[in-house]
Structure formats: structure tokens, C-alpha cells
Short mmCIF file of all heavy atoms in Angstrom, two decimals:
data_model
loop_
_atom_site.label_atom_id
_atom_site.label_comp_id
_atom_site.label_asym_id
_atom_site.label_seq_id
_atom_site.Cartn_x
_atom_site.Cartn_y
_atom_site.Cartn_z
N MET A 117 -82.46 104.67 -28.65
CA MET A 117 -83.10 104.85 -27.36
C MET A 117 -83.05 103.54 -26.58
O MET A 117 -83.25 102.47 -27.13
CB MET A 117 -84.55 105.29 -27.53
CG MET A 117 -85.28 105.45 -26.22
SD MET A 117 -86.96 106.07 -26.39
CE MET A 117 -86.60 107.74 -26.87
N THR A 118 -82.79 103.66 -25.32
CA THR A 118 -82.68 102.49 -24.46
C THR A 118 -83.98 102.25 -23.71
O THR A 118 -84.59 103.18 -23.20
CB THR A 118 -81.55 102.68 -23.44
OG1 THR A 118 -80.33 102.88 -24.15
CG2 THR A 118 -81.43 101.49 -22.52
N VAL A 119 -84.39 101.00 -23.68
CA VAL A 119 -85.53 100.59 -22.86
C VAL A 119 -84.98 99.77 -21.70
O VAL A 119 -84.19 98.86 -21.90
CB VAL A 119 -86.54 99.74 -23.67
CG1 VAL A 119 -87.63 99.21 -22.76
CG2 VAL A 119 -87.13 100.56 -24.80
N THR A 120 -85.40 100.12 -20.51
CA THR A 120 -85.00 99.37 -19.33
C THR A 120 -86.21 98.65 -18.79
O THR A 120 -87.28 99.23 -18.65
CB THR A 120 -84.44 100.32 -18.24
OG1 THR A 120 -83.32 101.01 -18.78
CG2 THR A 120 -84.04 99.56 -16.99
N ILE A 121 -86.04 97.36 -18.51
CA ILE A 121 -87.10 96.56 -17.90
C ILE A 121 -86.62 96.17 -16.51
O ILE A 121 -85.64 95.46 -16.36
CB ILE A 121 -87.44 95.32 -18.75
CG1 ILE A 121 -87.88 95.76 -20.15
CG2 ILE A 121 -88.53 94.49 -18.06
CD1 ILE A 121 -88.13 94.61 -21.11
N ARG A 122 -87.33 96.69 -15.54
CA ARG A 122 -86.92 96.51 -14.15
C ARG A 122 -87.82 95.47 -13.48
O ARG A 122 -89.04 95.58 -13.53
CB ARG A 122 -87.04 97.86 -13.42
CG ARG A 122 -86.33 97.94 -12.10
CD ARG A 122 -86.36 99.37 -11.56
NE ARG A 122 -85.83 100.38 -12.47
CZ ARG A 122 -84.54 100.67 -12.63
NH1 ARG A 122 -83.64 100.03 -11.94
NH2 ARG A 122 -84.16 101.60 -13.49
N LEU A 123 -87.21 94.45 -12.88
CA LEU A 123 -87.95 93.41 -12.18
C LEU A 123 -88.25 93.88 -10.76
O LEU A 123 -87.32 94.11 -9.98
CB LEU A 123 -87.15 92.11 -12.12
CG LEU A 123 -87.07 91.28 -13.40
CD1 LEU A 123 -86.23 91.96 -14.46
CD2 LEU A 123 -86.53 89.91 -13.10
N LYS A 124 -89.51 94.01 -10.44
CA LYS A 124 -89.88 94.38 -9.08
C LYS A 124 -89.88 93.10 -8.22
O LYS A 124 -90.31 92.05 -8.68
CB LYS A 124 -91.28 95.02 -9.05
CG LYS A 124 -91.36 96.34 -9.77
CD LYS A 124 -90.51 97.40 -9.11
CE LYS A 124 -91.14 97.82 -7.80
NZ LYS A 124 -90.38 98.92 -7.14
N GLU A 125 -89.42 93.23 -6.99
CA GLU A 125 -89.36 92.06 -6.13
C GLU A 125 -90.77 91.51 -5.92
O GLU A 125 -91.67 92.21 -5.45
CB GLU A 125 -88.73 92.43 -4.79
CG GLU A 125 -88.49 91.22 -3.90
CD GLU A 125 -87.68 91.57 -2.67
OE1 GLU A 125 -87.24 92.72 -2.55
OE2 GLU A 125 -87.49 90.68 -1.84
N ASN A 126 -90.95 90.25 -6.32
CA ASN A 126 -92.25 89.57 -6.20
C ASN A 126 -93.39 90.37 -6.84
O ASN A 126 -94.52 90.36 -6.33
CB ASN A 126 -92.58 89.27 -4.74
CG ASN A 126 -91.54 88.37 -4.12
OD1 ASN A 126 -91.04 87.45 -4.77
ND2 ASN A 126 -91.19 88.62 -2.89
N GLY A 127 -93.08 91.05 -7.94
CA GLY A 127 -94.08 91.87 -8.61
C GLY A 127 -93.85 91.94 -10.11
O GLY A 127 -93.20 91.07 -10.69
N PRO A 128 -94.38 92.97 -10.73
CA PRO A 128 -94.37 93.07 -12.19
C PRO A 128 -93.02 93.47 -12.78
O PRO A 128 -92.06 93.74 -12.06
CB PRO A 128 -95.39 94.18 -12.44
CG PRO A 128 -95.28 95.06 -11.24
CD PRO A 128 -95.04 94.13 -10.09
N LEU A 129 -93.00 93.52 -14.09
CA LEU A 129 -91.88 94.05 -14.85
C LEU A 129 -92.22 95.50 -15.16
O LEU A 129 -93.26 95.78 -15.75
CB LEU A 129 -91.71 93.29 -16.17
CG LEU A 129 -91.55 91.77 -16.08
CD1 LEU A 129 -91.61 91.15 -17.47
CD2 LEU A 129 -90.25 91.42 -15.41
N LEU A 130 -91.38 96.42 -14.75
CA LEU A 130 -91.61 97.83 -15.02
C LEU A 130 -90.79 98.25 -16.23
O LEU A 130 -89.57 98.11 -16.24
CB LEU A 130 -91.22 98.69 -13.82
CG LEU A 130 -92.04 98.46 -12.54
CD1 LEU A 130 -91.58 99.42 -11.46
CD2 LEU A 130 -93.52 98.62 -12.81
N VAL A 131 -91.48 98.74 -17.26
CA VAL A 131 -90.82 99.14 -18.49
C VAL A 131 -90.57 100.64 -18.46
O VAL A 131 -91.49 101.43 -18.25
CB VAL A 131 -91.68 98.79 -19.72
CG1 VAL A 131 -90.96 99.16 -21.01
CG2 VAL A 131 -92.03 97.30 -19.71
N GLU A 132 -89.32 101.01 -18.66
CA GLU A 132 -88.92 102.42 -18.68
C GLU A 132 -88.38 102.75 -20.06
O GLU A 132 -87.46 102.09 -20.54
CB GLU A 132 -87.86 102.68 -17.61
CG GLU A 132 -88.35 102.36 -16.21
CD GLU A 132 -87.24 102.38 -15.17
OE1 GLU A 132 -86.08 102.64 -15.54
OE2 GLU A 132 -87.53 102.12 -14.00
N GLY A 133 -88.96 103.72 -20.72
CA GLY A 133 -88.55 104.08 -22.07
C GLY A 133 -89.69 103.81 -23.03
O GLY A 133 -90.69 103.19 -22.69
N GLU A 134 -89.54 104.28 -24.24
CA GLU A 134 -90.57 104.10 -25.25
C GLU A 134 -90.45 102.71 -25.86
O GLU A 134 -89.35 102.26 -26.19
CB GLU A 134 -90.42 105.16 -26.34
CG GLU A 134 -90.73 106.56 -25.85
CD GLU A 134 -92.15 106.69 -25.29
OE1 GLU A 134 -93.09 106.18 -25.94
OE2 GLU A 134 -92.30 107.29 -24.22
N TYR A 135 -91.58 102.03 -25.99
CA TYR A 135 -91.58 100.71 -26.61
C TYR A 135 -92.92 100.48 -27.28
O TYR A 135 -93.89 101.21 -27.03
CB TYR A 135 -91.31 99.62 -25.56
CG TYR A 135 -92.43 99.40 -24.58
CD1 TYR A 135 -93.32 98.34 -24.74
CD2 TYR A 135 -92.63 100.25 -23.51
CE1 TYR A 135 -94.36 98.13 -23.84
CE2 TYR A 135 -93.67 100.06 -22.61
CZ TYR A 135 -94.52 99.00 -22.78
OH TYR A 135 -95.56 98.80 -21.90
N THR A 136 -92.98 99.47 -28.13
CA THR A 136 -94.22 99.09 -28.79
C THR A 136 -94.59 97.70 -28.31
O THR A 136 -93.77 96.79 -28.34
CB THR A 136 -94.05 99.08 -30.32
OG1 THR A 136 -93.64 100.38 -30.74
CG2 THR A 136 -95.34 98.70 -31.01
N LEU A 137 -95.82 97.54 -27.85
CA LEU A 137 -96.34 96.26 -27.38
C LEU A 137 -97.30 95.74 -28.45
O LEU A 137 -98.25 96.44 -28.83
CB LEU A 137 -97.04 96.47 -26.04
CG LEU A 137 -97.49 95.26 -25.25
CD1 LEU A 137 -96.31 94.33 -24.95
CD2 LEU A 137 -98.14 95.70 -23.95
N VAL A 138 -97.07 94.54 -28.94
CA VAL A 138 -97.83 93.99 -30.06
C VAL A 138 -98.42 92.64 -29.66
O VAL A 138 -97.73 91.81 -29.06
CB VAL A 138 -96.90 93.82 -31.29
CG1 VAL A 138 -97.66 93.26 -32.47
CG2 VAL A 138 -96.25 95.14 -31.65
N ASP A 139 -99.71 92.41 -30.00
CA ASP A 139 -100.34 91.13 -29.68
C ASP A 139 -99.94 90.07 -30.71
O ASP A 139 -99.24 90.38 -31.68
CB ASP A 139 -101.87 91.31 -29.55
CG ASP A 139 -102.58 91.50 -30.89
OD1 ASP A 139 -101.97 91.28 -31.96
OD2 ASP A 139 -103.77 91.87 -30.86
N PRO A 140 -100.35 88.81 -30.51
CA PRO A 140 -99.94 87.73 -31.43
C PRO A 140 -100.37 87.96 -32.88
O PRO A 140 -99.81 87.36 -33.80
CB PRO A 140 -100.61 86.49 -30.85
CG PRO A 140 -100.77 86.79 -29.40
CD PRO A 140 -101.07 88.27 -29.35
N ASN A 141 -101.36 88.81 -33.11
CA ASN A 141 -101.82 89.10 -34.47
C ASN A 141 -101.14 90.32 -35.08
O ASN A 141 -101.49 90.73 -36.18
CB ASN A 141 -103.34 89.30 -34.48
CG ASN A 141 -104.07 88.04 -34.08
OD1 ASN A 141 -103.70 86.94 -34.49
ND2 ASN A 141 -105.08 88.17 -33.24
N GLY A 142 -100.22 90.89 -34.35
CA GLY A 142 -99.50 92.05 -34.86
C GLY A 142 -100.17 93.38 -34.58
O GLY A 142 -99.71 94.41 -35.08
N ASN A 143 -101.23 93.36 -33.80
CA ASN A 143 -101.92 94.60 -33.46
C ASN A 143 -101.25 95.28 -32.27
O ASN A 143 -100.96 94.64 -31.26
CB ASN A 143 -103.39 94.32 -33.10
CG ASN A 143 -104.12 93.66 -34.24
OD1 ASN A 143 -104.10 94.15 -35.36
ND2 ASN A 143 -104.74 92.53 -33.96
N GLU A 144 -101.03 96.57 -32.40
CA GLU A 144 -100.39 97.31 -31.33
C GLU A 144 -101.34 97.48 -30.15
O GLU A 144 -102.52 97.81 -30.32
CB GLU A 144 -99.94 98.68 -31.84
CG GLU A 144 -99.08 99.42 -30.85
CD GLU A 144 -98.44 100.66 -31.46
OE1 GLU A 144 -98.12 100.64 -32.67
OE2 GLU A 144 -98.25 101.64 -30.73
N ILE A 145 -100.83 97.23 -28.95
CA ILE A 145 -101.60 97.39 -27.72
C ILE A 145 -101.22 98.74 -27.13
O ILE A 145 -100.05 98.98 -26.86
CB ILE A 145 -101.29 96.26 -26.72
CG1 ILE A 145 -101.66 94.90 -27.31
CG2 ILE A 145 -102.02 96.50 -25.40
CD1 ILE A 145 -101.20 93.71 -26.49
N PRO A 146 -102.21 99.62 -26.94
CA PRO A 146 -101.89 100.92 -26.34
C PRO A 146 -101.22 100.75 -24.98
O PRO A 146 -101.61 99.87 -24.20
CB PRO A 146 -103.26 101.59 -26.19
CG PRO A 146 -104.15 100.87 -27.14
CD PRO A 146 -103.62 99.46 -27.22
N GLN A 147 -100.22 101.54 -24.73
CA GLN A 147 -99.47 101.43 -23.48
C GLN A 147 -100.18 102.18 -22.36
O GLN A 147 -99.79 103.26 -21.97
CB GLN A 147 -98.06 101.96 -23.66
CG GLN A 147 -97.24 101.15 -24.63
CD GLN A 147 -95.85 101.71 -24.81
OE1 GLN A 147 -95.31 102.33 -23.92
NE2 GLN A 147 -95.28 101.49 -25.97
N ALA A 148 -101.23 101.53 -21.85
CA ALA A 148 -101.98 102.15 -20.77
C ALA A 148 -101.21 102.10 -19.46
O ALA A 148 -101.38 102.93 -18.61
CB ALA A 148 -103.32 101.46 -20.60
N LYS A 149 -100.36 101.10 -19.31
CA LYS A 149 -99.60 100.92 -18.08
C LYS A 149 -98.16 100.56 -18.42
O LYS A 149 -97.89 100.00 -19.47
CB LYS A 149 -100.18 99.80 -17.23
CG LYS A 149 -101.51 100.09 -16.61
CD LYS A 149 -101.91 98.93 -15.74
CE LYS A 149 -103.15 99.21 -14.94
NZ LYS A 149 -103.48 98.06 -14.06
N ARG A 150 -97.28 100.83 -17.50
CA ARG A 150 -95.86 100.49 -17.65
C ARG A 150 -95.51 99.19 -16.94
O ARG A 150 -94.42 98.68 -17.11
CB ARG A 150 -94.98 101.61 -17.10
CG ARG A 150 -95.06 102.88 -17.91
CD ARG A 150 -94.25 102.72 -19.15
NE ARG A 150 -94.31 103.93 -19.96
CZ ARG A 150 -93.83 104.00 -21.16
NH1 ARG A 150 -93.25 102.95 -21.71
NH2 ARG A 150 -93.92 105.09 -21.86
N ALA A 151 -96.43 98.69 -16.11
CA ALA A 151 -96.15 97.49 -15.33
C ALA A 151 -96.76 96.28 -16.04
O ALA A 151 -97.97 96.21 -16.24
CB ALA A 151 -96.73 97.62 -13.93
N LEU A 152 -95.91 95.33 -16.42
CA LEU A 152 -96.36 94.12 -17.10
C LEU A 152 -96.38 92.96 -16.12
O LEU A 152 -95.42 92.75 -15.37
CB LEU A 152 -95.41 93.80 -18.26
CG LEU A 152 -95.29 94.88 -19.34
CD1 LEU A 152 -94.27 94.44 -20.40
CD2 LEU A 152 -96.63 95.18 -19.99
N CYS A 153 -97.48 92.20 -16.16
CA CYS A 153 -97.65 91.07 -15.25
C CYS A 153 -96.64 89.97 -15.55
O CYS A 153 -96.43 89.60 -16.70
CB CYS A 153 -99.07 90.52 -15.40
SG CYS A 153 -99.39 89.07 -14.36
N ARG A 154 -96.04 89.43 -14.50
CA ARG A 154 -95.21 88.23 -14.66
C ARG A 154 -95.62 87.13 -13.70
O ARG A 154 -95.00 86.08 -13.65
CB ARG A 154 -93.72 88.56 -14.51
CG ARG A 154 -93.28 88.91 -13.13
CD ARG A 154 -91.76 89.05 -13.10
NE ARG A 154 -91.34 89.65 -11.86
CZ ARG A 154 -90.20 89.41 -11.25
NH1 ARG A 154 -89.33 88.58 -11.79
NH2 ARG A 154 -89.89 90.01 -10.14
N CYS A 155 -96.72 87.36 -12.95
CA CYS A 155 -97.19 86.31 -12.04
C CYS A 155 -98.23 85.43 -12.72
O CYS A 155 -98.51 84.34 -12.25
CB CYS A 155 -97.78 86.93 -10.78
SG CYS A 155 -99.44 87.64 -10.97
N GLY A 156 -98.85 85.93 -13.79
CA GLY A 156 -99.87 85.17 -14.50
C GLY A 156 -101.27 85.36 -13.94
O GLY A 156 -102.22 84.82 -14.48
N GLY A 157 -101.43 86.09 -12.86
CA GLY A 157 -102.72 86.21 -12.21
C GLY A 157 -103.54 87.43 -12.57
O GLY A 157 -104.70 87.53 -12.18
N SER A 158 -102.97 88.36 -13.31
CA SER A 158 -103.69 89.59 -13.62
C SER A 158 -104.92 89.33 -14.49
O SER A 158 -104.91 88.48 -15.37
CB SER A 158 -102.75 90.55 -14.37
OG SER A 158 -103.46 91.70 -14.78
N THR A 159 -105.98 90.08 -14.23
CA THR A 159 -107.17 90.00 -15.07
C THR A 159 -107.11 91.03 -16.19
O THR A 159 -108.04 91.12 -17.00
CB THR A 159 -108.45 90.25 -14.24
OG1 THR A 159 -108.37 91.53 -13.63
CG2 THR A 159 -108.63 89.18 -13.18
N THR A 160 -106.03 91.81 -16.22
CA THR A 160 -105.87 92.83 -17.26
C THR A 160 -104.57 92.60 -18.03
O THR A 160 -103.89 93.55 -18.41
CB THR A 160 -105.89 94.25 -16.67
OG1 THR A 160 -104.81 94.37 -15.73
CG2 THR A 160 -107.21 94.55 -15.99
N LYS A 161 -104.21 91.32 -18.23
CA LYS A 161 -102.98 91.00 -18.96
C LYS A 161 -102.96 91.70 -20.31
O LYS A 161 -104.01 91.84 -20.93
CB LYS A 161 -102.86 89.48 -19.19
CG LYS A 161 -102.67 88.69 -17.92
CD LYS A 161 -102.53 87.23 -18.28
CE LYS A 161 -102.62 86.33 -17.08
NZ LYS A 161 -104.00 86.09 -16.67
N PRO A 162 -101.85 92.15 -20.73
CA PRO A 162 -100.53 91.87 -20.20
C PRO A 162 -100.10 92.80 -19.07
O PRO A 162 -98.95 92.78 -18.66
CB PRO A 162 -99.62 92.06 -21.43
CG PRO A 162 -100.29 93.16 -22.18
CD PRO A 162 -101.76 92.92 -22.00
N PHE A 163 -101.03 93.58 -18.57
CA PHE A 163 -100.66 94.55 -17.54
C PHE A 163 -100.91 94.01 -16.14
O PHE A 163 -101.79 93.17 -15.93
CB PHE A 163 -101.44 95.86 -17.75
CG PHE A 163 -101.26 96.43 -19.12
CD1 PHE A 163 -102.29 96.41 -20.04
CD2 PHE A 163 -100.04 96.94 -19.51
CE1 PHE A 163 -102.12 96.91 -21.32
CE2 PHE A 163 -99.85 97.46 -20.79
CZ PHE A 163 -100.90 97.43 -21.70
N CYS A 164 -100.16 94.51 -15.20
CA CYS A 164 -100.31 94.15 -13.79
C CYS A 164 -101.52 94.86 -13.22
O CYS A 164 -101.73 96.04 -13.48
CB CYS A 164 -99.03 94.56 -13.05
SG CYS A 164 -99.14 94.45 -11.25
N ASP A 165 -102.32 94.12 -12.44
CA ASP A 165 -103.46 94.75 -11.76
C ASP A 165 -103.35 94.63 -10.23
O ASP A 165 -104.31 94.88 -9.52
CB ASP A 165 -104.78 94.16 -12.24
CG ASP A 165 -104.97 92.71 -11.83
OD1 ASP A 165 -104.05 92.12 -11.23
OD2 ASP A 165 -106.05 92.16 -12.11
N GLY A 166 -102.19 94.22 -9.75
CA GLY A 166 -101.96 94.11 -8.31
C GLY A 166 -102.27 92.73 -7.75
O GLY A 166 -102.05 92.49 -6.56
N THR A 167 -102.75 91.82 -8.58
CA THR A 167 -103.10 90.48 -8.09
C THR A 167 -101.91 89.76 -7.49
O THR A 167 -102.06 88.94 -6.59
CB THR A 167 -103.71 89.64 -9.24
OG1 THR A 167 -104.91 90.27 -9.68
CG2 THR A 167 -104.02 88.22 -8.81
N HIS A 168 -100.70 90.06 -7.95
CA HIS A 168 -99.51 89.37 -7.43
C HIS A 168 -99.43 89.46 -5.91
O HIS A 168 -99.00 88.52 -5.25
CB HIS A 168 -98.23 89.92 -8.08
CG HIS A 168 -98.00 91.37 -7.85
ND1 HIS A 168 -98.50 92.35 -8.68
CD2 HIS A 168 -97.36 92.01 -6.84
CE1 HIS A 168 -98.15 93.54 -8.20
NE2 HIS A 168 -97.46 93.36 -7.10
N SER A 169 -99.86 90.57 -5.35
CA SER A 169 -99.84 90.73 -3.89
C SER A 169 -100.87 89.83 -3.22
O SER A 169 -100.61 89.24 -2.17
CB SER A 169 -100.14 92.18 -3.51
OG SER A 169 -99.11 93.03 -3.97
N LYS A 170 -102.03 89.70 -3.85
CA LYS A 170 -103.11 88.90 -3.26
C LYS A 170 -102.82 87.40 -3.28
O LYS A 170 -103.26 86.67 -2.42
CB LYS A 170 -104.43 89.17 -4.00
CG LYS A 170 -104.89 90.61 -3.93
CD LYS A 170 -106.10 90.85 -4.81
CE LYS A 170 -106.39 92.34 -4.90
NZ LYS A 170 -107.26 92.66 -6.02
N ILE A 171 -102.08 86.95 -4.31
CA ILE A 171 -101.82 85.51 -4.44
C ILE A 171 -100.47 85.11 -3.86
O ILE A 171 -100.09 83.95 -3.92
CB ILE A 171 -101.93 85.05 -5.91
CG1 ILE A 171 -100.85 85.72 -6.79
CG2 ILE A 171 -103.32 85.32 -6.45
CD1 ILE A 171 -100.82 85.19 -8.24
N GLY A 172 -99.74 86.07 -3.33
CA GLY A 172 -98.45 85.76 -2.70
C GLY A 172 -97.39 85.33 -3.70
O GLY A 172 -96.57 84.45 -3.40
N PHE A 173 -97.39 85.96 -4.86
CA PHE A 173 -96.41 85.61 -5.90
C PHE A 173 -94.98 85.75 -5.38
O PHE A 173 -94.63 86.75 -4.77
CB PHE A 173 -96.62 86.53 -7.11
CG PHE A 173 -95.60 86.36 -8.20
CD1 PHE A 173 -95.48 85.17 -8.88
CD2 PHE A 173 -94.76 87.41 -8.55
CE1 PHE A 173 -94.54 85.02 -9.90
CE2 PHE A 173 -93.82 87.28 -9.56
CZ PHE A 173 -93.72 86.07 -10.23
N GLN A 174 -94.18 84.72 -5.61
CA GLN A 174 -92.77 84.72 -5.24
C GLN A 174 -91.96 84.59 -6.52
O GLN A 174 -92.02 83.57 -7.20
CB GLN A 174 -92.45 83.54 -4.31
CG GLN A 174 -93.18 83.58 -2.99
CD GLN A 174 -92.59 84.62 -2.05
OE1 GLN A 174 -91.41 84.63 -1.80
NE2 GLN A 174 -93.44 85.52 -1.56
N ALA A 175 -91.21 85.62 -6.83
CA ALA A 175 -90.40 85.60 -8.04
C ALA A 175 -88.94 85.34 -7.72
O ALA A 175 -88.48 85.61 -6.61
CB ALA A 175 -90.52 86.96 -8.75
N ALA A 176 -88.24 84.81 -8.70
CA ALA A 176 -86.79 84.70 -8.57
C ALA A 176 -86.25 86.12 -8.49
O ALA A 176 -86.69 87.01 -9.21
CB ALA A 176 -86.21 83.97 -9.77
N THR A 177 -85.31 86.36 -7.62
CA THR A 177 -84.79 87.71 -7.45
C THR A 177 -83.54 87.96 -8.27
O THR A 177 -83.11 89.08 -8.41
CB THR A 177 -84.48 88.00 -5.98
OG1 THR A 177 -83.60 87.01 -5.49
CG2 THR A 177 -85.76 88.03 -5.16
N ALA A 178 -82.95 86.92 -8.78
CA ALA A 178 -81.75 87.09 -9.58
C ALA A 178 -81.93 86.36 -10.91
O ALA A 178 -82.75 85.47 -11.04
CB ALA A 178 -80.54 86.53 -8.85
N ALA A 179 -81.16 86.78 -11.88
CA ALA A 179 -81.22 86.11 -13.17
C ALA A 179 -80.75 84.68 -13.03
O ALA A 179 -79.82 84.38 -12.27
CB ALA A 179 -80.34 86.85 -14.17
N VAL A 180 -81.41 83.79 -13.74
CA VAL A 180 -81.04 82.38 -13.73
C VAL A 180 -80.06 82.14 -14.86
O VAL A 180 -80.31 82.55 -16.00
CB VAL A 180 -82.29 81.51 -13.90
CG1 VAL A 180 -81.91 80.02 -13.94
CG2 VAL A 180 -83.28 81.77 -12.78
N ALA A 181 -78.97 81.49 -14.55
CA ALA A 181 -77.96 81.22 -15.57
C ALA A 181 -78.53 80.34 -16.66
O ALA A 181 -79.28 79.40 -16.39
CB ALA A 181 -76.75 80.54 -14.93
N SER A 182 -78.21 80.67 -17.89
CA SER A 182 -78.68 79.89 -19.03
C SER A 182 -77.93 78.56 -19.11
O SER A 182 -76.76 78.48 -18.80
CB SER A 182 -78.47 80.70 -20.31
OG SER A 182 -78.76 79.89 -21.42
N SER A 183 -78.65 77.51 -19.55
CA SER A 183 -77.99 76.21 -19.76
C SER A 183 -77.54 76.08 -21.19
O SER A 183 -76.98 75.05 -21.57
CB SER A 183 -78.95 75.08 -19.39
OG SER A 183 -80.09 75.14 -20.23
N ASP A 184 -77.78 77.12 -22.02
CA ASP A 184 -77.37 77.10 -23.43
C ASP A 184 -75.92 77.55 -23.54
O ASP A 184 -75.63 78.72 -23.53
CB ASP A 184 -78.24 78.03 -24.27
CG ASP A 184 -79.71 77.64 -24.21
OD1 ASP A 184 -79.99 76.48 -23.90
OD2 ASP A 184 -80.55 78.51 -24.47
N LYS A 185 -75.03 76.65 -23.61
CA LYS A 185 -73.61 77.00 -23.76
C LYS A 185 -72.95 76.12 -24.77
O LYS A 185 -73.36 75.07 -25.08
CB LYS A 185 -72.87 76.91 -22.43
CG LYS A 185 -73.32 77.99 -21.49
CD LYS A 185 -72.48 78.03 -20.24
CE LYS A 185 -72.94 79.18 -19.36
NZ LYS A 185 -72.22 79.27 -18.14
S1 LIG B 1139 -97.37 90.85 -11.59
FE1 LIG B 1139 -98.91 92.09 -10.81
S2 LIG B 1139 -100.72 91.03 -11.28
FE2 LIG B 1139 -99.16 89.76 -12.05
#
């Protein structure tokens, strides 16, 4: 099964497909939402709560080339 993670412009990561989300202790986090915060401002991490809009989060719109070569 394929999982697609879609980067929303200046917003969260949208996960499409079945996946398991696990905390640092190995406990499974119920998938209440498909949108994962990438701005760091959410009060419901790891999920997006819309704070990115309020803080004016600006995300890179394209993948950054790796320096590991
Ligand atoms: S991306 Fe939406 S609150 Fe962080």
C-alpha cells in the first residue's frame, strides 16, 4: 500500500493512505487527523490546528536538494 504525503502551500503535511503514527516511547497515536503540523505552532501536535494561518507560516514550496552526495 502506498502512502502519499502532500505538502500544502504554507500549511500542514496531508497524509493519504493508511499509516501508523508512533510517539517516542513506541505508543501508537490514534489517527484523529490526516493533517500533520510542520510550522511548529500547533497546540495539538503532531496534528495541525490551523495555527499556521495565524502566525503567517511560510514554507519552502519545493524540495531542497540534499548536500549528501
Ligand atoms: S501546520 Fe497547521 S498548525 Fe502547524
